[in-house]
């Protein structure tokens, strides 16, 4: 059941009604039932993966918790020496580490196999074997629910989160339908106090949630899906360098509208039910440097990678030893080297999270290169700015934003070229065949979009920019409208609804149901 | 709280009304060249009291004139036709019509039996457009739901297309940027384009040569077609209605003799009357230089009147349908229909002749 379908809207309406009309203590049960029904409407074979992840995660969490409780009781009841206590703790930690490792290996192996089977060569090799059963495309949401559940298991191991002993409540955390398909990847600690508690109906909160959903539908259907045919057409090499450049711009619009639109729907749905999910995007195209960009784009994945890949590697034994050796030989650079190694590993994992193909690994490495490069060049930048005082000039902020926008567009374009050679060939065309003429000779109208399409895109992008600018400078648009005239508020959102209904790309000839991030 | 609830209700009501208005605006009005899309919905305006009900595609609604049947034989009739109407649609349209009236005879044109499934009826996009023209005008009932399910193309099945029949705004939303003045003019309704389901054409475009089509590899009429013909036969039998199978006298598409034999055998087995009008063109008096507006694909009004006169004699003498011109109320209603019919005929002739001059 896609978010972009009438059956889903009816389903969500029914879940919301049941949620608020039934006794409060049943609310989390309603959410669980709704989540089960939601996932059941996908391919039944996908259930195997969700079940394995949920059950293995639950068993691991309970087993680790059992040992910690027994340890607590043991340490309290018996008079032990410090060495005995340390040995007891070490033994439990060792066993828990094994349990956690088994759970992580099982689940990540499952994810790896599913992603590997997307590769044609692997799929062909798997034909006729038991693995061919798994060749049904990437199970819906697996990258998201698996990362979330494994992150929770790690937090329980680390003692950062309490173990959820109620299997049904644990299952709700894993399967909660608003975020099941494309995140945000949420920490258990941030949701525990919301998912299982009662929520009274709050008109303002419900209204805000529905408004946010509507905004998400606008971004997805009016902007992202409208520009999609352009992406396919602009890949043609004969369009030259300008074609490649416009491709990067168009993809920036498409992926932003598609992904943030989907997240708006997710967060809006959840908000209308009284559950606040963490933000996953904070106007990333206003970033002035790459570090800031990755604090604003797909925040939940970035935080997951930081908490469970980057930090553990950085503070691991081998890295600490490397740090000591490198500092002795390379001075200050040596001090930073382990961080760079951890960054490299993190970005490699982030790349393969998107896909097991060279272009995604390249994408990860390019991000790492520019982040590390920025760090290394920081003193140089500081001397430059001290000399020329550009940061004090009003236009410089705009220049930084534009620079970062173009850089990330170029890096992000890796997504579009499974063959890395084609990606670099695009840059080559910018030098050898710029083809500026395509902007004025009518070529643009032969690429799958009509004049009215471009006009609507222009309007949509302008509206998106205006709203984002307001949010960046002043705060919440919804709060501002809430404090104003109620008829103006309803009128504006009704116009937004009309815009989605009339200008949205859905229905016959379209496949609006899929989101770009579903493929990951 | 009461004030908020009232305000909320008012806002919701206004919003809903506005959405319904927008939906009505973007839905096609089927005027001009595509006016045959109006036929399904128009039926409800003349349903009731008809002794003969025709079902089928353009071979029915452009070849048979209910006015002629009434004027010459006193037989009130209606046509439940639509463009490219498939046999499964004919069945469900008939089932729907029988909620409003019980005619003495149902006349089904058998050409559509050559299309066994939605897929066999042409490219998806074209098939989907014809489905809409046939089904959008149906009033909601189980028959409509069944008709939609039976008609959906492969592409529609994957995309929850049923919801776009429930909320046509979801199907026609993109028309907002190609609206024409008719969309506003006919926003709240329009005059009927047909005469009890007959769509009049007064143009003359003679047949210029023989219509030739390549032979087929297999002439077997499909299982699905027979399934729906059987359902139609059973429905009529249960309601005490005589089912009459006909093949209109049009030169294209070709009605192969192999198909004709299969239908004739079926009719003989079931005791049904089957009339292939292609075999009696001379008796009917069809002149292919005068009686067609599109080189023999369909008859114009002159050809339709001849065919209807011929068929009316069979309905009256062989089938035994009564002459009801003595019924005063019925006669008054039909007098108005006839007046409108001749007014349009005169108008079309004037247009045609004025153009020729």
């Amino acid at each position: 059941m896609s978010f972009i379908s009438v059956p889903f809207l009816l389903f969500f309406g029914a879940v919301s009604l049941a949620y608020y009309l039934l006794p409060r203590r049943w609310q989390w049960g309603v959410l669980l039932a709704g989540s089960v029904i939601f996932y059941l409407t996908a391919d039944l074979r996908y259930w195997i993966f969700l079940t394995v992840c949920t059950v293995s995660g639950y068993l691991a969490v309970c087993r680790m918790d059992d040992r910690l409780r027994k340890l607590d009781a043991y340490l309290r009841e018996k008079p032990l020496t410090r060495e005995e206590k340390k040995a007891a703790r070490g033994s439990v930690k060792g066993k828990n580490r094994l349990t956690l490792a088994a759970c992580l290996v099982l689940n990540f192996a499952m994810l790896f196999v599913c992603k590997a089977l997307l590769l044609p060569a692997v799929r062909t090799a798997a034909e006729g074997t038991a693995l061919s059963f798994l060749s049904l495309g990437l199970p819906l949401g697996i990258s998201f629910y698996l990362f979330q559940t494994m992150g929770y298991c790690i937090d329980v191991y680390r003692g950062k989160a309490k173990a959820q002993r109620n299997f049904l409540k644990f299952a709700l955390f894993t399967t909660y339908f608003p975020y099941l398909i494309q995140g945000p990847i949420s920490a258990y600690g941030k949701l525990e106090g919301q998912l299982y508690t009662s929520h009274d109906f709050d008109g303002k909160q419900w209204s805000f949630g529905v408004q946010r959903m509507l905004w998400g539908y606008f971004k997805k259907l009016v902007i992202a899906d409208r520009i999609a045919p352009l992406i396919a057409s602009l890949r043609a090499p004969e369009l030259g360098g300008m074609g490649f450049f416009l491709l990067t711009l168009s993809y920036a619009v498409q992926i932003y509208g598609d992904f943030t639109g989907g997240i708006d729907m997710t967060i809006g749905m959840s908000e209308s039910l009284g559950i606040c999910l963490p933000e996953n995007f904070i106007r990333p195209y206003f970033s002035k440097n790459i570090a800031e960009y990755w604090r604003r784009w797909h925040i939940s994945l970035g935080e997951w990678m930081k908490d469970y890949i980057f930090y553990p590697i950085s503070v691991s034994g081998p890295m600490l030893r490397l740090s000591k050796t490198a500092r002795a030989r390379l001075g200050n650079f040596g001090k930073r080297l382990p961080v760079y190694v951890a960054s490299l590993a993190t970005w490699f994992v982030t790349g393969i999270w998107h896909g097991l193909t060279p272009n995604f690994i390249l994408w990860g490495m390019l991000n790492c290169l520019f982040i590390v490069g920025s760090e290394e060049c920081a003193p140089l930048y500081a001397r430059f700015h001290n000399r020329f005082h550009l940061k004090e000039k009003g236009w410089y902020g705009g220049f930084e934003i534009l620079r970062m926008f173009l850089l990330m567009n170029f890096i992000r374009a890796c997504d579009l070229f499974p063959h890395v050679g084609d990606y670099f060939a695009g840059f080559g065309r910018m030098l050898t065949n710029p083809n500026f003429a395509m902007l004025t000779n009518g070529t643009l109208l032969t690429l799958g979009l009509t004049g009215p399409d471009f006009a609507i895109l222009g309007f949509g992008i302008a509206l998106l920019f205006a709203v984002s600018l307001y949010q960046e400078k002043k705060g919440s648009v919804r709060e501002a409208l809430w404090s104003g005239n109620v008829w103006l508020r309803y009128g504006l959102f009704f116009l937004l609804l009309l815009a989605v209904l009339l200008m949205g790309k859905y229905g016959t000839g379209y496949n609006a149901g899929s989101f770009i991030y579903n493929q990951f | 709280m009461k004030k908020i609830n009232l305000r909320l209700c008012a806002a919701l009501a206004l919003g809903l009304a506005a959405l319904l208005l927008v939906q009505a605006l973007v839905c096609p009005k089927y005027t001009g060249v595509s006016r045959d899309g109006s036929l399904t919905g128009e039926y409800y305006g003349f349903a009731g009291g008809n002794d003969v009900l025709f079902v089928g595609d353009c071979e029915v609604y452009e070849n048979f004139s209910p006015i002629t049947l009434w004027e010459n034989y006193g037989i009130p009739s209606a046509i439940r036709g639509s463009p490219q109407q498939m046999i499964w649609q004919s069945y469900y349209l008939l089932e729907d019509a029988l909620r409003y009236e019980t005619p003495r005879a149902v006349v089904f044109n058998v050409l559509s039996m050559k299309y066994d499934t939605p897929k066999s009826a042409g490219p998806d996009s074209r098939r989907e457009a014809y489905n809409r023209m046939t089904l959008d005008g149906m009033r909601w009932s189980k028959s409509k739901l069944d008709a939609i399910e039976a008609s959906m193309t492969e592409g529609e099945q994957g995309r929850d297309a049923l919801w776009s029949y429930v909320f046509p705004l979801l199907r026609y939303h993109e028309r907002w940027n190609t609206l024409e003045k008719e969309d506003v003019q006919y926003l709240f309704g329009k005059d009927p384009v047909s005469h009890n389901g007959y769509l009049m054409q007064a143009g003359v475009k003679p047949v210029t040569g023989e219509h030739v089509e390549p032979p087929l590899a297999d002439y077997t009429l499909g299982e699905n077609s027979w399934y729906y013909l059987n359902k139609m036969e059973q429905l009529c039998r249960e309601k005490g209605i005589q089912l009459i199978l006909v093949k209109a006298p049009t030169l294209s598409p070709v009605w192969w003799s192999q198909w004709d034999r299969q239908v004739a055998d079926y009719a003989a087995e079931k005791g049904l009357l089957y009339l292939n009008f292609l075999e009696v063109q001379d008796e009917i008096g069809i002149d292919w230089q005068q009686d067609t507006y599109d080189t023999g694909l369909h008859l114009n009004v002159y050809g339709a009147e001849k065919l209807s006169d011929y068929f009316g004699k069979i309905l009256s003498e062989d089938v035994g349908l009564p002459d009801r011109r003595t019924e005063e109320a019925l006669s008054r209603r039909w007098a108005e229909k006839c007046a409108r019919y001749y007014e349009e005929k005169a108008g079309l002739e004037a247009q045609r002749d004025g153009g020729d001059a």
Side-chain angles (χ1 to χ4, degrees):
Chain A
M1 206 182 340
S2 162
F3 284 2
I4 318 281
S5 66
V6 173
F8 176 78
L9 292 172
L10 293 173
F11 158 81
F12 182 65
V15 167
S16 301
L17 272 175
Y19 186 79
Y20 284 117
L21 291 178
L22 291 175
R24 297 283 175 267
R25 65 183 184 282
W26 291 5
Q27 279 180 333
W28 71 266
V30 168
L31 293 180
L32 179 62
S35 302
V36 167
I37 292 168
F38 176 77
Y39 210 74
L40 271 176
T41 62
D43 193 311
L44 273 180
R45 292 173 293 176
Y46 290 167
W47 262 93
I48 296 167
F49 305 96
L50 185 57
T51 306
V52 166
C53 179
T54 306
V55 171
S56 63
Y58 175 73
L59 290 175
V61 154
C62 288
R63 194 75 191 93
M64 289 190 286
D65 189 51
D66 283 341
R67 289 196 191 104
L68 288 170
R69 286 182 190 211
K70 280 185 185 150
L71 175 68
D72 264 344
Y74 176 71
L75 294 175
R76 259 183 283 123
E77 283 159 19
K78 300 242 169 157
L80 299 165
T81 64
R82 208 162 66 176
E83 286 73 25
E84 283 170 337
K85 284 181 189 174
K86 192 176 171 184
R89 285 196 194 98
S91 168
V92 164
K93 189 162 182 166
K95 287 177 185 167
N96 277 357
R97 193 181 303 125
L98 281 175
T99 301
L100 176 66
C103 180
L104 294 178
V105 165
L106 170 65
N107 282 277
F108 283 108
M110 182 170 72
L111 178 62
F112 180 81
V113 168
C114 288
K115 287 206 181 245
L117 283 167
L118 292 176
L119 302 171
V122 175
R123 200 164 49 242
T124 308
E127 268 169 28
T129 70
L131 284 176
S132 60
F133 165 77
L134 298 175
S135 292
L136 42 65
L138 202 61
L140 203 60
I142 191 171
S143 297
F144 294 94
Y145 66 70
L146 194 143
F147 267 54
Q148 178 165 294
T149 309
M150 293 305 104
Y152 174 51
C153 293
I154 296 171
D155 283 345
V156 168
Y157 166 79
R158 287 174 176 173
K160 284 175 67 181
K162 278 187 340 204
Q164 177 52 259
R165 304 290 306 210
N166 182 317
F167 176 70
L168 294 179
K169 286 185 175 178
F170 184 98
L172 175 58
F173 171 68
T174 304
T175 63
Y176 181 52
F177 71 88
Y179 62 37
L180 183 58
I181 295 181
Q182 54 178 357
I185 302 170
S186 305
Y188 179 81
K190 289 184 183 161
L191 290 183
E192 186 189 13
Q194 299 186 77
L195 270 183
Y196 312 123
T197 52
S198 317
H199 300 273
D200 290 326
F201 180 79
D202 179 327
K204 181 181 175 183
Q205 188 165 46
W206 181 86
S207 190
F208 271 32
V210 171
Q211 289 164 13
R212 185 136 185 201
M213 283 177 72
L214 191 54
W215 183 234
Y217 281 107
F218 178 82
K219 284 194 222 172
K220 163 69 173 157
L221 294 177
V222 178
I223 299 177
D225 286 355
R226 172 166 263 100
I227 207 169
L230 209 54
I231 313 295
S233 305
L234 284 171
R235 279 190 232 214
E238 48 272 22
L239 294 175
M242 183 52 69
F244 180 76
F245 178 68
L246 290 177
L247 175 67
T248 66
L249 281 186
S250 305
Y251 187 54
V253 171
Q254 185 198 25
I255 197 166
Y256 184 76
D258 193 284
F259 201 2
T260 67
I263 292 295
D264 282 336
M265 292 176 211
T266 293
I267 293 179
M269 261 179 245
S270 204
E271 190 174 2
S272 74
L273 299 172
I275 296 165
C276 293
L277 296 177
E279 291 293 337
N280 215 11
F281 293 88
I282 305 178
R283 300 170 293 284
Y285 291 169
F286 285 156
S287 304
K288 293 179 178 173
N289 55 65
I290 195 166
E292 184 184 1
Y293 178 86
W294 285 110
R295 286 194 297 274
R296 293 186 183 228
W297 178 282
H298 205 173
I299 298 167
S300 64
L301 181 66
E303 284 182 353
W304 197 99
M305 291 294 176
K306 194 173 63 182
D307 289 342
Y308 304 112
I309 306 285
F310 179 78
Y311 283 144
I313 293 177
S314 316
V315 303
S316 65
M319 283 300 121
L320 291 173
R321 284 192 289 280
L322 173 65
S323 176
K324 201 172 166 184
T325 311
R327 229 182 309 171
R329 295 193 184 185
L330 303 169
N332 275 336
F333 176 76
K335 200 167 136 188
R336 296 190 295 275
L337 186 60
V339 170
Y340 294 163
V341 171
S343 285
L344 191 69
T346 304
W347 280 105
F348 178 78
V349 171
T350 311
I352 63 172
W353 179 90
H354 287 83
L356 291 175
T357 46
N359 60 314
F360 289 116
I361 296 171
L362 174 66
W363 170 88
M365 296 301 99
L366 283 174
N367 274 290
C368 184
L369 176 70
F370 280 98
I371 287 170
V372 167
S374 288
E375 277 299 308
E376 285 304 299
C377 292
L380 188 65
Y381 289 150
R383 282 204 297 276
F384 175 84
H385 286 295
N386 277 338
R387 172 81 170 83
F388 294 104
H389 305 288
L390 289 179
K391 282 195 190 276
E392 291 149 25
K393 306 222 188 304
W395 56 266
Y396 191 72
F399 163 74
E400 286 181 298
I401 290 172
L402 182 64
R403 178 188 65 187
M404 193 46 43
F405 176 68
L406 291 175
L407 173 66
M408 295 317 296
N409 286 354
F410 287 136
I411 295 176
R412 194 185 304 113
C414 282
D415 293 0
L416 302 171
F417 296 94
H419 299 290
V420 168
D422 294 339
Y423 170 69
F424 288 111
F427 286 99
R429 289 197 292 279
M430 288 177 76
L431 297 169
T432 59
N433 178 20
N435 192 22
F436 295 115
M438 76 172 277
L439 292 176
T440 51
N441 64 6
T443 304
L444 289 177
L445 292 174
T446 64
L447 301 175
L449 298 191
T450 61
D453 281 327
F454 279 110
I456 293 167
L457 265 176
F459 158 73
I461 293 168
L463 181 62
L464 186 53
F465 180 77
V467 166
S468 299
L469 193 61
Y470 185 94
Q471 288 169 330
E472 187 77 3
K473 300 287 184 199
K474 298 214 163 139
S476 168
V477 171
R478 289 175 296 167
E479 284 289 358
L481 287 173
W482 188 264
S483 56
N485 181 276
V486 63
W487 292 109
L488 174 66
R489 181 169 79 238
Y490 284 134
L492 284 175
F493 280 104
F494 180 75
L495 286 175
L496 189 64
L497 173 66
L498 265 189
V500 171
L501 287 174
L502 291 177
M503 299 183 209
K505 287 293 186 184
Y506 60 88
T508 305
Y510 301 110
N511 185 14
S514 70
F515 289 84
I516 293 175
Y517 264 72
N518 284 170
Q519 65 182 305
F520 303 135
Chain B
M1 181 60 112
K2 195 175 173 188
K3 190 179 171 187
I4 290 169
N5 284 342
L6 276 172
R7 207 160 54 184
L8 185 62
C9 288
L12 283 172
L14 261 175
L16 189 60
L19 279 178
L20 288 172
L21 188 67
V22 166
Q23 177 168 271
L25 185 64
V26 298
C27 281
K29 308 303 179 294
Y30 295 122
T31 58
V33 291
S34 58
R35 59 195 179 125
D36 35 10
S38 303
L39 297 177
T40 301
E42 273 186 18
Y43 166 76
Y44 301 103
F46 48 78
N50 295 299
D51 282 353
V52 177
L53 183 65
F54 293 83
V55 282
D57 59 13
C58 49
E59 286 203 353
V60 155
Y61 66 77
E62 286 192 334
N63 292 343
F64 293 94
S65 168
I67 299 300
T68 305
L69 284 177
W70 170 257
E71 280 195 320
N72 295 2
Y73 299 100
I75 298 172
S77 64
I79 302 176
R80 194 100 213 250
S82 61
Q84 280 269 317
Q85 188 181 107
M86 298 287 106
I87 186 171
W88 46 89
Q89 292 167 342
S90 299
Y91 171 76
Y92 291 115
L93 283 166
L94 173 62
E95 193 181 67
D96 178 57
L98 296 184
R99 290 164 57 218
Y100 298 91
E101 59 186 340
T102 307
R104 295 173 200 258
V106 163
V107 180
F108 171 62
N109 188 64
V110 292
L111 176 69
S112 58
M113 288 189 69
K114 63 185 266 194
Y115 302 113
D116 189 42
T117 58
K119 196 171 175 171
S120 64
D124 262 16
S125 55
R126 199 158 152 261
R127 184 64 247 149
E128 190 270 344
Y130 279 124
N131 283 347
R132 296 288 166 162
M133 290 172 93
T134 295
L135 301 174
D136 275 348
M138 273 180 93
R139 286 182 183 165
W140 278 102
S141 62
K142 187 165 180 315
S143 301
K144 180 167 181 172
L145 278 172
D146 291 338
I148 291 169
E149 200 181 319
S151 302
M152 277 200 275
T153 61
E154 270 179 28
E156 285 180 293
Q157 282 163 14
R159 291 188 191 121
D160 304 316
L162 173 63
W163 294 104
S164 67
Y165 283 94
V166 178
F167 306 111
L169 177 61
L170 302 180
R171 168 62 181 82
Y172 298 114
H173 64 281
E174 289 197 296
R175 289 193 73 244
W176 71 272
N177 67 349
T178 53
L179 289 175
E180 294 164 359
K181 69 176 193 319
E182 286 84 10
D183 288 300
V184 179
Q185 190 180 354
Y186 302 123
L187 183 57
F188 299 111
K190 66 182 198 293
D191 291 333
V193 301
S194 73
H195 304 273
N196 264 38
Y198 168 66
L199 204 62
M200 189 186 292
Q201 301 281 358
V204 178
K205 194 170 180 187
V207 171
T208 51
E210 200 185 336
H211 286 266
V212 176
E213 287 178 18
L216 304 179
D218 183 1
Y219 294 92
T220 314
L221 293 170
E223 270 180 32
N224 198 44
S225 296
W226 289 117
Y227 170 74
Y228 278 100
L229 185 61
N230 276 326
K231 277 175 78 76
M232 210 181 290
E233 187 273 328
Q234 186 183 354
L235 180 63
C236 288
R237 189 166 16 94
E238 283 166 3
K239 298 270 183 183
I241 300 168
Q242 185 167 353
L243 176 64
I244 302 171
L245 306 179
V246 301
K247 174 62 189 75
T250 51
L251 304 181
S252 178
V254 168
W255 178 248
W256 298 102
S257 59
Q258 292 90 334
W259 291 341
D260 187 66
R261 212 170 305 125
Q262 290 171 68
V263 174
D265 289 346
Y266 176 84
E269 183 193 321
K270 297 287 183 179
L272 303 176
L273 181 59
Y274 170 50
L275 300 164
N276 182 352
F277 291 116
L278 282 164
E279 293 171 348
V280 290
Q281 295 171 54
D282 292 336
E283 274 182 54
I284 296 169
I286 293 175
D287 176 357
W288 290 112
Q289 300 306 302
Q290 296 294 327
D291 293 338
T292 174
Y293 76 91
D294 55 6
T295 70
L297 271 71
H298 306 90
L299 300 175
N300 56 21
V301 62
Y302 313 108
E305 285 172 352
K306 286 179 186 172
L307 174 61
S308 302
D309 181 61
Y310 181 87
F311 186 41
K313 192 163 192 275
I314 295 171
L315 289 173
S316 178
E317 292 175 8
D318 299 334
V319 178
L321 296 184
D323 183 338
R324 297 176 63 188
R325 282 173 287 188
T326 53
E327 294 176 33
E328 216 176 292
L330 195 61
S331 280
R332 267 203 306 276
R333 272 209 313 276
W334 277 92
E336 285 171 20
K337 292 176 196 280
C338 292
R340 197 181 134 246
Y341 175 90
Y342 288 109
E343 193 185 332
E344 182 179 352
K345 190 176 176 186
L348 287 176
E349 285 169 342
Q351 216 173 40
R352 178 197 66 203
D353 297 337
D356 286 348

